C-alpha cells in the first residue's frame, strides 16, 4: 500500500520546493501483545499480565523518563510518532527510551504507527503539527483497543487536558501520569514523578517556615533573542560556567570574547546557573571587581566546612589561590583585579542527576506522609536541591540520586525529584558506587557484542603470527618485566643486551593491543568511550575485557606474547645511537615486582643474566635521569598512599606512603624514553594528526601560593623557567630534613595536569611537556589500560607502513572530540582513585583514632590547614570554634604567613610541625567525617 | 541519521530488502519503433528506441554488426529543482555510455550488420536509482521494438547504511553518502554485465550488498517478463478482435 506524502521544504538558497516522498503503509506491523491471536507473536513484548497496556504521549516520555526507567512501569507501547518527536526535542531522553525498548527485561514495544495501514493518518488542512500528532496517538490507542478487543485494557497516558478530553470522547481510556501512578499504590513511585510547574508552588512551603522569604531572590533570565543580540554587540559574553570545587560560591566563565576568565562571585550573581551550563554573562562595573570578594563566603547559611581530603596531586585538585585569607586586614596582592560579572541568561543547561544524601531533618508531623527535604550533593559545586518525598524515614540514611527539574526566581534552591537510592551512607560498596557515578565511570560488565570481538581462549601465538613478515621474532632475548606486586595486566617488558662494540641494545616491549582491538568494532568503541582503566582501592574497572588485560595481552612470564617494541642502541653513557620500532614476538623470562628487582640488584652475590641486565639498565637509567634533570625536568613529590586490604572484609588493614625504589625509577625512565622516541616518530610522519601529551608551563599566577610560602620561610625561588625552578628546588635545603620534600609537594600542587591533544590543533612550541622538560611527549607504554596508547600504537604502525590509518584521522573536529574525551576520562579516573583512597582512609580511622605529626601548609583566619605526611592527607585544624570565626583572639600575619595569639603567647608558622589527633566523628547521624585537632 | 529503525523499517516504510513499487507501460511514444515508461517508486524514466535503421553517418557503419547509440537526458522538471543542466555534461555522458554498453551486451548486434539502433532515455522524475530505471526502461523499449536480444537485462541498486544492506535506494538514502552498488544482470544467463560502485566497502559487506542487488535484478526481471507477457496478450487480443 502506497501513499505519497508531499510537503514543502526550504532549500539552502531560500527557495521553497515541493517535495514528494514515498510513504509505504504495511499490513505486517504487529501489535506486540503476547495474548493477540491475529499477529505474529514471536516479536511480542507486552506481557500477558492483567495490567493495562499504556500508550504514552510525547510529553509524558520527555518529562517522566526517570519514572519509566523504574521497572514498576511496564507494558508500554512506544509509538513511532512519539519516538520521532522525542528524538527531535531531546536526544538524551531518546537514547534512554531506546535503551528501554531494547532491554529484554522490560516490556516496552515500539509500534510503527506511521507505517501501519490502519493507524497512519493524513494531515488535515489547518491542523498544527502537534494536533496532528496528538490525533495520531489517539488513533493508535483506539486501534489497540479495537485490535485487542477488550482482552486487555488500553490506557492513553497524557497530561494534556485537551487531548485527554478528546480521547475520552472517542471512547479511549485516558489518564494523567500522576493518577495512573497513584492507582498503582506504590508510594515510592510517586517520588519519581517529575513535578509539573503548577505543583511547584506547594514546594515553597519547605522554606516558608521562615516568614518573609517569598521574595524574588534572583533576577530574571533574559530572553534568548536579547542574549543573541547582546552577544553580537559585545555587551554580553558567552562561556561555560565552572564552579570552584573548593568554594561553590565562586565560579569562572572562560570567555573568548574578552580573552580572560570572568569571575562570578556569589549565588546571586551566578543567578541559578549550574556548573557546566553555557551562560551569558554581563561584566560588572570596574569598581565592583574587587569589593565582591568580601561576599565570597558570607553568602548564606549553608557555608560548608572544609573536609579532610587527600593531598592535591596538581593544581586541578587544589583550591584556587584567590583570597584564602578573608577577614585579614593585610593589603591585597599587587595583581590587577580580574573582571567580575553576573549571569544574565542560560544558553544551555547541563542539568543531570546528582549523587548525595538528604540534609538530616526531623520527621514532619501531620503532612500526610509527604515531606519536603533538601538534598545535598556529594559534588560541592552543586547547590542543595529541594525534593518532595513520601519515604523520608527510609531515605535519610541513604545515598540517593536526585534529578533537577526547575529553579524559579523565588526559590533559594532548585527543585528536583528522587530517582533512586544506592545504599546506606558509609557502607563501603555504596560509597564506592557513589564514587563511580559521580565521576561518570562506566563499571557495567562488557556487552556480549564487545565480548564476541575477543579471540577464542585459550589463545597462543600462532604459526601465522610467527611467519608474519611484519613481526620480528625476539623470543631469544632475555626479556623481563618489573611491576608493582600482584600486577596482572602487564603491559611493558624490557631487555638489555651488551653488544660487542661496548654499547647496549635496550628494548622496551609493549603489549600489542591493537593486534586484537580493531577500529570500528564494538570492542574498540567501548574502549574509546571508557578511555582508561580506573583503579580504586579495592577494585579495578577495566578499559578492556579481562581475557585481554590479564591473559592475551599481558606480557606474563614464560609465555609467548605479541608486542610492539622500541629498540635503541645506547652507548654506556646512555646516548642513543639508533632507534628502531617493530612489531615482535617475545617470551618474558621473569615477571618481577619492584621489590624483587631491587633485592636482586642489591644482592651482590647474584650474577645471573637477569640481575646482570637489571644492573646494566639501572646504570643507564641513572644517567638518563640525571640528564633529564639537568635539562630542567622537575622531580616533583607526590604523596601516594598505599592500603593493605583485608582479603575477606575488604576493609583497610594498614595505610602508608608508597615507597619509591630505584627499580621504579629505572622502569619509569625507559618508559619515558620510549614515549619520547615514539612521539618523535609519529609526529614526523603525521604532523597534523598525532596524538601527543603536553604539560603547559605554569603561569606566574599559578605559582603565587608557592612563592608566598617560600618568601615567608626565607627561600628564594626562581620560577622563570622549569630549569630555574628545578635548580632552586634543589637548593631548597633547611635544617629540617623534610623541608625539601615539603616544598616539592607544594610546588606540585601549583602545576596543572598534562593533557592529550592532536598535533594539528596547536603549534609546535605549545607541544612542550614542562614537567618532563621534553619538547615532545606521548603515551605509548600502557595500551592495556589507556586508550590514548591504543591510538598511538595505530599511528606508530601506520608510520612504519604496516597498518593503514583509518579515515577518522582525517576528521579534525572528530579528533579533537576524542582528545577531549580522553582528558575527561583520565581526569575522572584520577578523581575516582583519590575519592576511593579518601573513603578508605575514613573507614580505616573509624576504628583507629591516631596521634601523629603534621605540617602547617596554609594559614587560615581561624586556624590552619595541615598536611599529614604519613597518610598523605590534609585538612583544617581550627583554633577557634566555628561560630566565633572572625572574633577570635587570633591574628593572621599574611606577609609572614603565621597566625598569632593577640597576647603574643603562641605563634604558628607556615611549614611548622605540629602534633595532631585524628579521629572519625559524627557531628550529625550517619555523616561520619575525619576530624583533626591540635594536641 | 537513522535510515533503518531498530524495528527494521526504512524512512519510507520499506524493509531493508524490499524494492519500491514498480510500474511499467509499453508503447508510450507512438512514433518510435519501441518505447516504454518505467517507474521505480517516484523515479520515472521514458525510453524510446529507433531502429534497426540505416546508419546516418556512413563512416561509423560496421559491416559485421549493428551500431548502438544511446542518449540520456534528464527533464528539467525531473528533480523539482529548476536548475538548467547542459545536455552534454559529464554525468549525462557517463550514464549514456553505461547504458549503451549494457544494452549492447544483450542485443544480438551481429544479426543486424550495417544498421543503427538509437536508444533515447529521459528521466522524467528523479528519486534515486535513475541509472537502474533507465536500463529497465530501455530493456522494455528494445523488446517493444522487436530487437533481437540474447536475454533481457535488468538493473537494480543496493547500498549499505546503518550496518544494513538496503535494496533500491531512494534519493534520501542515496544522498546519505554511503556505499552504493548498481548491478546490471542477465537473468536467464545468470550473468552480471554491469557493476558500479562509488565508495569503498569491506569485501564481506560488498558480497552481501552485491548479492542483494542481484536479488533485486531477478525480482525486476520477473516483473518485466510479466509486463511483456501481458502486453503480448493484449496485442493478440486486439489482432484477434
Ligand atoms: Zn495483534
Amino acid at each position: 500500500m502506497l501513499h505519497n506524502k508531499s510537503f514543502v521544504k526550504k532549500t539552502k538558497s531560500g527557495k521553497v520546493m515541493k517535495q514528494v516522498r514515498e510513504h509505504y503503509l504495511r499490513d505486517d506491523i504487529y501489535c506486540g501483545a503476547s495474548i493477540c491471536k491475529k499477529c505474529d507473536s514471536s516479536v511480542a513484548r507486552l506481557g500477558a499480565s492483567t495490567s493495562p497496556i499504556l500508550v504514552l504521549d510525547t510529553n509524558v516520555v520527555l518529562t517522566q523518563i526517570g519514572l519509566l526507567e523504574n521497572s514498576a512501569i511496564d507494558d508500554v507501547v512506544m509509538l513511532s510518532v512519539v519516538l520521532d518527536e522525542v528524538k527531535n526535542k531531546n536526544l538524551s531522553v531518546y537514547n534512554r527510551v531506546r535503551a528501554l525498548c531494547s532491554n529484554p527485561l522490560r516490556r516496552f514495544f515500539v509500534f510503527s504507527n506511521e507505517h501501519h495501514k490502519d493507524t497512519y493518518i493524513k494531515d488535515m488542512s489547518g491542523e498544527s503539527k502537534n494536533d496532528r500528532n496528538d490525533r495520531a496517538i489517539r488513533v493508535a490507542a483506539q486501534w489497540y483497543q479495537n485490535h485487542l478487543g477488550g482482552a486487555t485494557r488500553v490506557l492513553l497516558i497524557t497530561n494534556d487536558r485537551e487531548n485527554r478530553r478528546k480521547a475520552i470522547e472517542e471512547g479511549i481510556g485516558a489518564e494523567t501520569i500522576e493518577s495512573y501512578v497513584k492507582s498503582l499504590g506504590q508510594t515510592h513511585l510517586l517520588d519519581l514523578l517529575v513535578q509539573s510547574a503548577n505543583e511547584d508552588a506547594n514546594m515553597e512551603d519547605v522554606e516558608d517556615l521562615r516568614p518573609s522569604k517569598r521574595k524574588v531572590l534572583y533576577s530574571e533570565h533574559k530572553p534568548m533573542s536579547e542574549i543573541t543580540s547582546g552577544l553580537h554587540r559585545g555587551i554580553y559574553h558567552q562561556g561555560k560556567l565552572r564552579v570552584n570545587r573548593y568554594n561553590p560560591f565562586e565560579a569562572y566563565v572562560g570567555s573568548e570574547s574578552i580573552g580572560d576568565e570572568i569571575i562570578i562571585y556569589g549565588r546571586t550573581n551566578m543567578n541559578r546557573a549550574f556548573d557546566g551550563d553555557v551562560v551569558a554573562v554581563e561584566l560588572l562595573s570596574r569598581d565592583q571587581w574587587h569589593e565582591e570578594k568580601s561576599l565570597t563566603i558570607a553568602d548564606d547559611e549553608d557555608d560548608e566546612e572544609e573536609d579532610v581530603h587527600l593531598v592535591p596531586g596538581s593544581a586541578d585538585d587544589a583550591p584556587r589561590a584567590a583570597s584564602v585569607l578573608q577577614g585579614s586586614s593585610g593589603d591585597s596582592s599587587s595583581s590587577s583585579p580580574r573582571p567580575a560579572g553576573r549571569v544574565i541568561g542560560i544558553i544551555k543547561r547541563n542539568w543531570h542527576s546528582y549523587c548525595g544524601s538528604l540534609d538530616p531533618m526531623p520527621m514532619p508531623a501531620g503532612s500526610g506522609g509527604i515531606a519536603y527535604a533538601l538534598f545535598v550533593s556529594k559534588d560541592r559545586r552543586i547547590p542543595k536541591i529541594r525534593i518532595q518525598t513520601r519515604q523520608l524515614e527510609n531515605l535519610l540514611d541513604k545515598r540517593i540520586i536526585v534529578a533537577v527539574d526547575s529553579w524559579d526566581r523565588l526559590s533559594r534552591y532548585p527543585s528536583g525529584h528522587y530517582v533512586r537510592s544506592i545504599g546506606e551512607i558509609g557502607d563501603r560498596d555504596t560509597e564506592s558506587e557513589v564514587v563511580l557515578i559521580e565521576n561518570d565511570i562506566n563499571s557495567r560488565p562488557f556487552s556480549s557484542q564487545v565480548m564476541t570481538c575477543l579471540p577464542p581462549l585459550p589463545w597462543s601465538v600462532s604459526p601465522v603470527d610467527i611467519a608474519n613478515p611484519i613481526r620480528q621474532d625476539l623470543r631469544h632475548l632475555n626479556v623481563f618485566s618489573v611491576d608493582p606486586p600482584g600486577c596482572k595486566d602487564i603491559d611493558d617488558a624490557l631487555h638489555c643486551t651488551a653488544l660487542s662494540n661496548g654499547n647496549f641494545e635496550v628494548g622496551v616491549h609493549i603489549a600489542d593491543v591493537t593486534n586484537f582491538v580493531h577500529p570500528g568494532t564494538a570492542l574498540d568503541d567501548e574502549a574509546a568511550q571508557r578511555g582508561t582503566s580506573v583503579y580504586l582501592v579495592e577494585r579495578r574497572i577495566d578499559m578492556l575485557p579481562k581475557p585481554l588485560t590479564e591473559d592475551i595481552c599481558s606480557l606474563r612470564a614464560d609465555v609467548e606474547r605479541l608486542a610492539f617494541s622500541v629498540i635503541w642502541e645506547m652507548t654506556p653513557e646512555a646516548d642513543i645511537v639508533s632507534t628502531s620500532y617493530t612489531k615482535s614476538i617475545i617470551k618474558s623470562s621473569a615477571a618481577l615486582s619492584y621489590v624483587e628487582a631491587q633485592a636482586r640488584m642489591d644482592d651482590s652475590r647474584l650474577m645471573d643474566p637477569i640481575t646482570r641486565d637489571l644492573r646494566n639498565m639501572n646504570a643507564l637509567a641513572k644517567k638518563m635521569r640525571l640528564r633529564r634533570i639537568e635539562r630542567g625536568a622537575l622531580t616533583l613529590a607526590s604523596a601516594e598512599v598505599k592500603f593493605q586490604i583485608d582479603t575477606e572484609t575488604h576493609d583497610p588493614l594498614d595505610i602508608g606512603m608508597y615507597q619509591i625504589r630505584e627499580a621504579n625509577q629505572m622502569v619509569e625512565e625507559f618508559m619515558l624514553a620510549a614515549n619520547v622516541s615514539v612521539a618523535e616518530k609519529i609526529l614526523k610522519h603525521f604532523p597534523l594528526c598525532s596524538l601527543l601529551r603536553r604539560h603547559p608551563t605554569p603561569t606566574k599566577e599559578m605559582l603565587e601560593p608557592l612563592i608566598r610560602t617560600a618568601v615567608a620561610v626565607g627561600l628564594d625561588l626562581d620560577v622563570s623557567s622549569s630549569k630555574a625552578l628545578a635548580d632552586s628546588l634543589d637548593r631548597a635545603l633547611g635544617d629540617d630534613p623534610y623541608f625539601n620534600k615539603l616544598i616539592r609537594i607544594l610546588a606540585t600542587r601549583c602545576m596543572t595536569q598534562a593533557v592529550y591533544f592532536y598535533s594539528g590543533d596547536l603549534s609546535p612550541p605549545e607541544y612542550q611537556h614542562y614537567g618532563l622538560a621534553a619538547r615532545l611527549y606521548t603515551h605509548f607504554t600502557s595500551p592495556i589500560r589507556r586508550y590514548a596508547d591504543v591510538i598511538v600504537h595505530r599511528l606508530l604502525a601506520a608510520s612504519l607502513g604496516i597498518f593503514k590509518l583509518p579515515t577518522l584521522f582525517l576528521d579534525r573536529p572528530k579528533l579533537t572530540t576524542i582528545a577531549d574525551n580522553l582528558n575527561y576520562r583520565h581526569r575522572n579516573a584520577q578523581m575516582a582513585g583519590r575519592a576511593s583512597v579518601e573513603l578508605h582512609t575514613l573507614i580505616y580511622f573509624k576504628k583507629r583514632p591516631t596521634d601523629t605529626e603534621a605540617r602547617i601548609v596554609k594559614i587560615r583566619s581561624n586556624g590552619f590547614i595541615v598536611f599529614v605526611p604519613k597518610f598523605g592527607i590534609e585538612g583544617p585544624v581550627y583554633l577557634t570554634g566555628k561560630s566565633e570565626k572572625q572574633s577570635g583572639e587570633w591574628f593572621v600575619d599574611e606577609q609572614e604567613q603565621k597566625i598569632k595569639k593577640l597576647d603574643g603567647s603562641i605563634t604558628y608558622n607556615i611549614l611548622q610541625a605540629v602534633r595532631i589527633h585524628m579521629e572519625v566523628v559524627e557531628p550529625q547521624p550517619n555523616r561520619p567525617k575525619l576530624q583533626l585537632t591540635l594536641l | 541519521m537513522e535510515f533503518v529503525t531498530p524495528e527494521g523499517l526504512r524512512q519510507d516504510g520499506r524493509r531493508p530488502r524490499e524494492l519500491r513499487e514498480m510500474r511499467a507501460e509499453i508503447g508510450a511514444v507512438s512514433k518510435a519503433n519501441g518505447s516504454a515508461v518505467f517507474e521505480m517508486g517516484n523515479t520515472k524514466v521514458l525510453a524510446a528506441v529507433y531502429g534497426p535503421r540505416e546508419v546516418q553517418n556512413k563512416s561509423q557503419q560496421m559491416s559485421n554488426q549493428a551500431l548502438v547509440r544511446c542518449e540520456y537526458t534528464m527533464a528539467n522538471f525531473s528533480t523539482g529543482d529548476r536548475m538548467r543542466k547542459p545536455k552534454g555534461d559529464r554525468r549525462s555522458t557517463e550514464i549514456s555510455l553505461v547504458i549503451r554498453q549494457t544494452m549492447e551486451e544483450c542485443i544480438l548486434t551481429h544479426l543486424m550488420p550495417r544498421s543503427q539502433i538509437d536508444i533515447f532515455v529521459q528521466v522524467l522524475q528523479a528519486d534515486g536509482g535513475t541509472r537502474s530505471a533507465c536500463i529497465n526502461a530501455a530493456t522494455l523499449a528494445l523488446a517493444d521494438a522487436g530487437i533481437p536480444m540474447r536475454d533481457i537485462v535488468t538493473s537494480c541498486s543496493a547500498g549499505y547504511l546503518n550496518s544494513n544492506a538496503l535494496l533500491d535506494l531512494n534519493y534520501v538514502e542515496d544522498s546519505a553518502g554511503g556505499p552504493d552498488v548498481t548491478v546490471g544482470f542477465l537473468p536467464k544467463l545468470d550473468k552480471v554485465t554491469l557493476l558500479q560502485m562509488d565508495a569503498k566497502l569491506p569485501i564481506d559487506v560488498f558480497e552481501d550488498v552485491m548479492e542483494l542487488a542481484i536479488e533485486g535484478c531477478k525480482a525486476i526481471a520477473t516483473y518485466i517478463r510479466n509486463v511483456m507477457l501481458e502486453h503480448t496478450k493484449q496485442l493478440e487480443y486486439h489482432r484477434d478482435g
Side-chain angles (χ1 to χ4, degrees), chain A residues 537-739:
Chain A
V537 171
E538 81 286 13
R539 67 184 279 212
R540 185 182 83 206
I541 295 106
D542 285 324
M543 176 182 87
L544 293 167
K546 224 177 209 97
L548 278 182
T549 56
E550 291 191 356
D551 185 4
I552 299 170
C553 289
S554 183
L555 305 178
R556 294 180 298 144
D558 304 318
V559 286
E560 296 178 353
R561 285 291 175 257
L562 302 180
F564 208 162
S565 307
V566 176
I567 299 168
W568 302 282
E569 183 181 338
M570 282 185 183
T571 65
E573 286 313 300
D575 287 313
I576 294 172
V577 178
S578 66
T579 312
S580 65
Y581 312 83
T582 180
K583 293 248 179 174
S584 58
I585 303 167
I586 60 162
K587 188 173 177 184
S588 169
S589 51
L592 305 172
S593 71
Y594 288 126
V595 188
E596 283 167 347
Q598 191 65 46
R600 273 173 185 259
M601 288 193 282
D602 294 345
D603 186 345
S604 55
R605 291 164 307 175
L606 286 179
M607 296 305 271
D608 62 290
I610 291 181
T611 310
R612 178 198 64 209
D613 292 351
L614 269 171
R615 287 190 187 123
N616 284 338
M617 291 190 92
N618 195 30
L620 289 170
K622 278 183 177 167
K623 286 169 190 156
M624 289 157 71
R625 187 175 152 82
L626 198 64
R627 203 164 312 143
R628 199 160 54 79
I629 290 167
E630 275 169 9
R631 266 202 326 267
L634 297 170
T635 42
L636 297 172
S638 63
E640 251 187 273
V641 188
K642 194 85 188 134
F643 283 96
Q644 201 187 325
I645 299 285
D646 186 317
T647 42
E648 234 153 81
T649 62
H650 292 285
D651 280 340
L653 291 175
D654 197 11
I655 174 173
M657 300 301 289
Y658 193 82
Q659 248 205 323
I660 296 184
R661 296 183 172 81
E662 256 186 10
N664 296 41
Q665 291 183 341
M666 176 196 89
V667 173
E668 188 194 344
E669 207 55 49
F670 285 105
M671 296 306 136
L672 292 179
N675 287 334
V676 168
S677 287
V678 169
E680 285 165 356
K681 176 78 176 168
I682 59 175
L683 188 68
K684 199 170 108 197
H685 286 263
F686 306 106
L688 291 179
C689 63
S690 284
L691 182 69
L692 302 175
R693 192 163 170 83
R694 64 191 277 262
H695 183 214
T697 308
T699 60
K700 187 106 189 202
E701 194 190 25
M702 288 160 59
L703 293 169
E704 174 74 28
L706 173 67
I707 296 168
R708 212 149 19 117
T709 305
V711 169
V713 298
L715 181 70
D716 183 24
L717 278 189
D718 182 352
V719 297
S720 56
S721 70
S722 69
K723 169 78 176 141
L725 177 59
D727 288 348
S728 36
L729 285 177
D730 287 342
R731 283 195 309 270
L733 298 167
D735 311 328
D736 180 352
Y738 199 71
F739 179 72

Side-chain angles (χ1 to χ4, degrees), chain A residues 30-33 36-40 143 147-148:
Chain A
Y30 303 123
C31 69
C36 178
K37 299 277 186 293
K38 299 169 215 163
C39 296
D40 176 2
W143 179 86
H147 179 77
L148 297 175

Side-chain angles (χ1 to χ4, degrees), chain A residues 22 24 26 28 94 98 115, chain B residues 7 12-13 15 18 21 41:
Chain A
E22 282 188 301
Y24 289 89
R26 321 187 59 97
D28 63 346
Y94 175 77
R98 272 295 181 192
H115 286 288
Chain B
E7 290 67 52
D12 59 7
R15 296 200 189 274
E18 286 176 354
E21 275 196 355

